[in-house]
Each structure stands twice: as structure tokens, then as C-alpha cells.
Amino acid sequence: MSDISQARAELDRLGESLRAQLVELITELTPGADLDLLFLDEPGIVDWHEPLKYRYSADSFRGERADVPAAELVRRAEAQLTTAGWQVTETRETGATERTVVTGTRDGNTIEIQVGEHTPTVYYSGHTPAMALQAVSTFEWPDPVKTAETVTPGHVLCYECDGLGWCPECGGRGWLPDAAKGRVKCPECHQERVCPICRGAGELAISQLSPYQRGYYPQLREGE
Ligand SMILES: [Zn+2]
Ligand SMILES: [Zn+2]
């Protein structure tokens, strides 16, 4: 098995372990919550730098603590996590939203439970560590869809992409590498991936060129 498929297997294992622990907590602490809403089916991308990093995460799943006092629910949550081998920390927030946040970590997984003093709603969040699941890919530019040899009679190669057909800025990826964000939307094609002038054809009909466009083709000026 390659390192990459091992990484995927490891991430899936962590995702399943995270889900199992969340289900156990929710079932014990706030029974009756709709567990179908606990989305942990596919890892999402959290870092767009190459190689992309993926993790499973659940955000703000809601349960109701009914008439269980907040302090008692916090105590139960901490006991349950500690028994299951999680490292537990507790943060109290005062002010307008008086609440206690219980954070558990285990094997790189993180679970957070927010228990408000003045609301019956308990929020559960959790995520696995972020892992690379693909090798760094080196981009290969596509072959042009039209060349000087294959251009249709009565047409010229597109002045913008020179026959490439794909967006000449991003090469058809729809994005460009970015130091800060990892990736940014391509400013030329706006993720449409094809050349914005020829729309992917790689060539333009001479009869439909505007006077401005004809300026790109000195060979067409003869006879004007
Ligand atoms: Zn583009
Ligand atoms: Zn073009």
C-alpha cells in the first residue's frame, strides 16, 4: 500500500473514531437529537496548499439538555471523555454568553462541547487532524486544440490563447497557485477553464472578427 492510501485509511479510521465518540456523547448527554444531521461522511479540504490537506469535521451539532443543569452536563461530558481516554480541558466564558466549553483531544482528534448557562441547547463540534491524501501533482499544460496545421479554413488561431482552447492563464485548471491561500480563482476565466475569447475553440472565424480583433492579425490587413 502506498503512503497515500495508508494516509487515507488512517484518516478514515480517525473519522470513524470521532463519529463513534460524538454519537456516544450525544446519545448519553442529550438524547433525542437527530443523529442523521451529524455529517461526517467525507473529508473536506481545509488547506489548499499542495499537497491538499483533508479532514473530517462536524460543526455545531445541536442537542438539548432539557432539565439537566449546565454544571451537571459539563461534569458528565468530562467524565465520559476521560473514561474513553481523551485529554480534557475546560474553559469558562463569562459575560453575555455565559458558557462552559469542554475540549477533548485524542489521537489528534478534537471534540468541543459548548454548554450555555442560560440556554438548553448544547453544541457539539469535532474534527480529525488534517492530512495530505494525494501526492503533490506537477501540472502539465494541455495540448492546444488547434495549431497552424489544423486550423479550420477561414479561421485564425485565437489571439488570446494561440490555439490552446483552454484558459491561457491557468491552463484549464480554473485556479492559480497562491502563496497565502494555496489556491485562488483564475482571474482570467473565472473558473470556466476555457479561453474567454474563443470559448475553447482555439480559433476564430475571420468573417466574425471585430475591427479591434483584426488588429491582432497583421496578415489580414492586406487588401483592406
Ligand atoms: Zn483560467
Ligand atoms: Zn482562445
Side-chain angles (χ1 to χ4, degrees):
M1 213 160 49
S2 70
D3 287 353
I4 291 304
S5 56
Q6 273 175 2
R8 178 65 204 235
E10 171 69 356
L11 186 61
D12 287 348
R13 189 188 67 74
L14 288 166
E16 279 164 30
S17 150
L18 176 70
R19 177 176 238 287
Q21 186 63 69
L22 279 167
V23 166
E24 207 176 294
L25 285 162
I26 294 162
T27 310
E28 290 283 324
L29 301 172
T30 53
D34 183 0
L35 290 168
D36 287 344
L37 297 175
L38 187 62
F39 301 121
L40 278 165
D41 304 329
E42 277 294 318
I45 298 169
V46 287
D47 184 344
W48 288 89
H49 291 88
E50 290 283 346
L52 305 183
K53 309 276 190 324
Y54 294 74
R55 76 179 187 187
Y56 286 92
S57 67
D59 200 29
S60 299
F61 180 91
R62 298 158 69 113
E64 301 291 321
R65 64 181 164 85
D67 51 3
V68 180
E72 171 63 12
L73 195 117
V74 167
R75 193 195 64 74
R76 289 185 197 173
E78 291 178 352
Q80 205 176 328
L81 283 169
T82 304
T83 305
W86 293 70
Q87 292 284 337
V88 178
T89 56
E90 180 185 313
T91 318
R92 272 176 208 282
E93 295 175 14
T94 52
T97 50
E98 203 177 334
R99 63 182 182 180
T100 303
V101 181
V102 176
T103 306
T105 53
R106 189 182 73 183
D107 298 341
N109 277 347
T110 301
I111 284 179
E112 194 180 275
I113 306 165
Q114 292 179 27
V115 187
E117 201 64 43
H118 307 295
T119 168
T121 307
V122 176
Y123 293 96
Y124 302 85
S125 298
H127 60 82
T128 64
M131 294 172 66
L133 297 182
Q134 287 151 15
V136 176
S137 53
T138 45
F139 179 64
E140 284 181 29
W141 279 77
D143 290 330
V145 298
K146 291 288 173 187
T147 63
E149 288 73 43
T150 62
V151 67
T152 309
H155 291 65
V156 281
L157 289 180
C158 170
Y159 60 86
E160 179 71 6
C161 68
D162 204 28
L164 186 66
W166 298 102
C167 170
E169 181 72 21
C170 65
R173 287 177 292 186
W175 54 269
L176 297 172
D178 180 73
K181 295 178 184 165
R183 290 183 182 184
V184 287
K185 285 181 190 175
C186 174
E188 172 150 2
C189 68
H190 304 284
Q191 291 187 307
E192 291 193 20
R193 302 177 57 212
V194 293
C195 168
I197 302 301
C198 64
R199 310 298 305 167
E203 61 183 9
L204 300 166
I206 294 169
S207 61
Q208 289 173 19
L209 292 175
S210 68
Y212 165 77
Q213 290 177 318
R214 290 182 78 91
Y216 283 98
Y217 302 98
Q219 73 273 29
L220 299 180
R221 290 203 194 113
E222 280 171 40
E224 268 181 11

